[in-house]
Amino acid sequence: ADVVKIDVEGHEDRVLAPFLAKTPKGDLPAAILVETTVAGLWRQDCRDLLARAGYRSVLETPDNALYAR
């Protein structure tokens, strides 16, 4: 996949953390779009998870953020 969108109503961190930890770096998508309106429900900050995996923010809207490697 070139782009993955994660929109699981406040559970983004619980999907993203194991995905980033278990997927070989070469198999990670070029970009990940994350719903951010529910960031207050996250147990871990998805922005930090993505940064540690080598992604950087390239676009933010009031509802979503796009991260690319």
Side-chain angles (χ1 to χ4, degrees), residues 54-69:
Y55 288 88
R56 62 181 169 73
S57 176
V58 294
L59 177 69
E60 291 195 34
T61 71
D63 299 325
N64 297 282
L66 179 65
Y67 290 82
R69 290 188 327 132

Side-chain angles (χ1 to χ4, degrees), residues 36-58:
T36 56
T37 57
V38 292
L41 299 174
W42 298 343
R43 295 177 186 164
Q44 299 179 67
D45 188 342
C46 288
R47 297 173 207 69
D48 183 53
L49 292 170
L50 288 161
R52 285 188 279 137
Y55 288 88
R56 62 181 169 73
S57 176
V58 294

